[in-house]
Amino acid sequence: EAGVAQSPRYKIIEKRQSVAFWCNPISGHATLYWYQQILGQGPKLLIQFQNNGVVDDSQLPKDRFSAERLKGVDSTLKIQPAKLEDSAVYLCASSQAGGTEAFFGQGTRLTVV
Amino acid sequence: DAKTTQPPSMDCAEGRAANLPCNHSTISGNEYVYWYRQIHSQGPQYIIHGLKNNETNEMASLIITEDRKSSTLILPHATLRDTAVYYCIVRVTGRSNYQLIWGAGTKLIIKP
């Protein structure tokens, strides 16, 4: 079975620019997560979707971050405008509804200069 | 804030059992303990989870103390490919979802 696909793999942008990341979860997985992982730290949940609805976005900086999952399948995370402290790996994960195991993609490494 | 405490790093000889400790003294009765690992430049990978009883699967064993304040992940025969950061995580129940609260993990280095 194909895993969670993310693109791009790497991105370098200047501060105040905008950037978007794409995620295609495992087929049939209703739950999709976006995490931010700063170097040396564990992942931090930004947003969780159940199908195309938001379940938890309490840690998403909504003044600059947005995410959507319009058809309940793939998802896009956007940052506008980017700050230096947004430099991190952005991980997408998916799981079956009520599932106990989340499957992660390889992540997108963002560097803001 | 993370609900777990782990040593920042550990070494283990190839072929030996790797025992990774984790403290979660504030865990609540319905909160599960999860373990994931992250190999360099890859996304995290699920290993095992448990509530009260010890658990074993093809990758590892999870030993949870009777008071549930700590646990140990055991990799029975470590190989070089087991070198990774291992995260001990408590799954908490939010208003409408479960959430994994990640700490900084233990960097496990398997030495030949």
Side-chain angles (χ1 to χ4, degrees), chain A residues 36 44-47 56-62 65, chain B residues 1 99-101:
Chain A
Q36 180 193 58
K44 181 183 86 170
L45 180 69
L46 292 175
I47 189 167
D56 184 350
D57 63 356
S58 57
Q59 299 189 88
L60 186 74
K62 299 180 186 66
F65 286 63
Chain B
D1 290 342
Q99 189 177 137
L100 301 179
I101 307 299

Side-chain angles (χ1 to χ4, degrees), chain A residues 83-110:
Chain A
K83 293 185 175 181
L84 296 177
E85 58 261 36
D86 298 332
S87 294
V89 175
Y90 290 84
L91 294 161
C92 179
S94 70
S95 67
Q96 295 179 334
T100 56
E101 178 181 352
F103 295 83
F104 283 79
Q106 286 194 293
T108 296
R109 181 176 297 276
L110 174 67

Side-chain angles (χ1 to χ4, degrees), chain A residues 18 112-113:
Chain A
S18 61
V112 183
V113 298

Side-chain angles (χ1 to χ4, degrees), chain A residues 38-59:
Chain A
I38 292 171
L39 186 65
Q41 299 180 18
K44 181 183 86 170
L45 180 69
L46 292 175
I47 189 167
Q48 178 181 344
F49 291 94
Q50 183 80 6
N51 297 310
N52 61 349
V54 176
V55 174
D56 184 350
D57 63 356
S58 57
Q59 299 189 88

Side-chain angles (χ1 to χ4, degrees), chain B residues 3-72:
Chain B
K3 297 189 73 170
T4 59
T5 305
Q6 299 176 256
S9 65
M10 291 180 63
D11 292 347
C12 179
E14 187 179 18
R16 305 296 293 267
N19 296 277
L20 291 93
C22 179
N23 287 322
H24 32 79
S25 57
T26 62
I27 196 169
S28 298
N30 62 346
E31 293 175 343
Y32 281 75
V33 178
Y34 275 67
W35 284 82
Y36 277 73
R37 73 179 182 183
Q38 189 171 24
I39 294 169
H40 183 62
S41 294
Q42 296 184 21
Q45 175 192 23
Y46 167 83
I47 301 173
I48 199 166
H49 74 283
L51 183 63
K52 286 191 268 193
N53 300 322
N54 298 337
E55 302 288 345
T56 295
N57 63 21
E58 64 277 4
M59 287 183 70
S61 294
L62 174 60
I63 309 298
I64 302 174
T65 58
E66 194 167 337
D67 63 7
R68 301 214 323 123
K69 292 186 177 181
S70 66
S71 60
T72 301

